[in-house]
Amino acid sequence: NGDTALLLASRQNLISPGFPRVVEWLLDHTNADPTHTNNNGKTATDLAADKSIKQMLGKAILFHRGGGQALTRPNLVVVGSLAAGKTTLADAIDADVTEPSVPSPRTPGDATAGIAIRHLRINPTTGDLAASAQQEDTADNPPEFTLYDLAGHPEFFMSHELPPNRRRAVFMFAISLATSHEQRTKQVKHWMSYLVRIFKVAKDGFKPRVVLVLTHRDCPAYPGDVKQVVGEDGSVQFCSPWGDTVMQGMLDIYAERLDIHPTPFVVNSRNFACSGVAALTAWLCNEHTTIVARAEQVPKLTSKVIDHLPEYREQLGDWPVVDEAEFQQWMQSMDDKLAVEIAQTPDLINTIVSYLDSIGEIVHLPHPAKVFVSPQFLCGDIMGKVLAPHE
């Protein structure tokens, strides 16, 4: 019948809706052609019923048609409780921000609503220049992340259930030293448990990367929680005995599930030039290099779409939501090569939309057929305002 091993593994039958692990192995370890048709004119995608199989086949088709290229913008996910200083911390490490966007003292209306998503260029020249061995290499071309700033108010926790791809992310926990030991410990347990819950154990042993950042170094609830350490070169760094103790506890409990950086960073994020911020940015520059080296490639057919999305969002203005057909039309008009590929394979355009949705560049709603060109608009402007306790 012209069926290949990939078609047979993808096919729904009386026993199973398909065999995802077999499909994954065939795509990773053989030259299986995801576009092959059998004698009835059916492809593996036509025969698949399992959602995970369809997603794997869709991504494989994109690579098969246009090849791949390296990922250049990993995700930086900042979590922490209300008023921990997450947004101010993100501002401190952003090369395009010169002062905190959150006023001090803050009001309830200043809190992040839902999830704030933005592009962030790491500033490798913040603070003590000697803190980063990579600064000469990165000053002219700062590493870029997609920042996910998760709201800390409990009412917003429901919006955190769809995290970005863990293989291309660093998870940064912001804990305020201005709170009590009991509050801090409770926060650490909550956010660690959150990560363990949403991420199942990977078959290949991969563990999400986690770092603890202790904020409000300038106003700790307990003065003994912050200490100065003078290096041999005379530079001053800060450490936290409390943070070191908690970090050891985190490693003892979660090391099998999470890849935890062993030392917390102690910062005053309102002082963009402080040495703690400089050490953190240097570490993030190294992490960026590591993630880019290990992360799976991005299909070339989608790379131009991703590059042009910011401009399209700006064109759409205050309402970055379009019909699926309109979004598909924009993709074809944006790139001639892509338009030719789509003309040759009409189903390809649906595969691209599905892929962009899976990596968080857009949010696609099949019913009704709408595309949120800005995930921030859905996660923050809509969900955030619906869930906000002060609205």
Side-chain angles (χ1 to χ4, degrees), residues 3 5 22 42 61 75 135 164 193 251 255 269 272 316 328 341-342 365 386 389:
D3 285 342
V22 177
K42 301 292 185 181
I61 289 169
N75 299 319
Q135 284 175 356
S193 300
L251 289 167
S269 15
F272 282 20
L316 293 172
Q328 293 176 349
E341 292 283 352
I342 291 170
L365 301 180
V386 168

Side-chain angles (χ1 to χ4, degrees), residues 315-366:
Q315 284 179 0
L316 293 172
D318 294 336
W319 188 256
V321 186
V322 296
D323 292 334
E324 183 181 314
E326 184 180 340
F327 183 72
Q328 293 176 349
Q329 233 175 12
W330 168 77
M331 283 197 298
Q332 294 179 78
S333 65
M334 180 267 304
D335 185 68
D336 291 339
K337 183 179 177 182
L338 182 59
V340 171
E341 292 283 352
I342 291 170
Q344 294 174 351
T345 313
D347 285 345
L348 188 64
I349 197 163
N350 296 321
T351 303
I352 293 174
V353 171
S354 177
Y355 177 79
L356 292 172
D357 176 79
S358 72
I359 63 173
E361 289 289 343
I362 62 171
V363 176
H364 175 227
L365 301 180

Side-chain angles (χ1 to χ4, degrees), residues 207 250-260:
K207 295 182 280 190
M250 288 165 56
L251 289 167
D252 291 343
I253 298 171
Y254 299 107
E256 291 186 2
R257 299 286 300 276
L258 304 172
D259 181 10
I260 303 172

Side-chain angles (χ1 to χ4, degrees), residues 279-302:
L280 176 59
T281 57
W283 182 83
L284 284 170
C285 286
N286 287 325
E287 287 300 301
H288 184 279
T289 302
T290 302
I291 295 172
V292 168
R294 73 158 183 245
E296 63 184 21
Q297 292 188 324
V298 177
K300 284 183 180 178
L301 285 178
T302 65

Side-chain angles (χ1 to χ4, degrees), residues 36-54:
H36 172 82
T37 57
N38 63 14
N39 295 344
N40 295 322
K42 301 292 185 181
T43 65
T45 304
D46 296 329
L47 299 174
D50 182 85
K51 183 179 179 181
S52 65
I53 291 178
K54 283 183 175 290

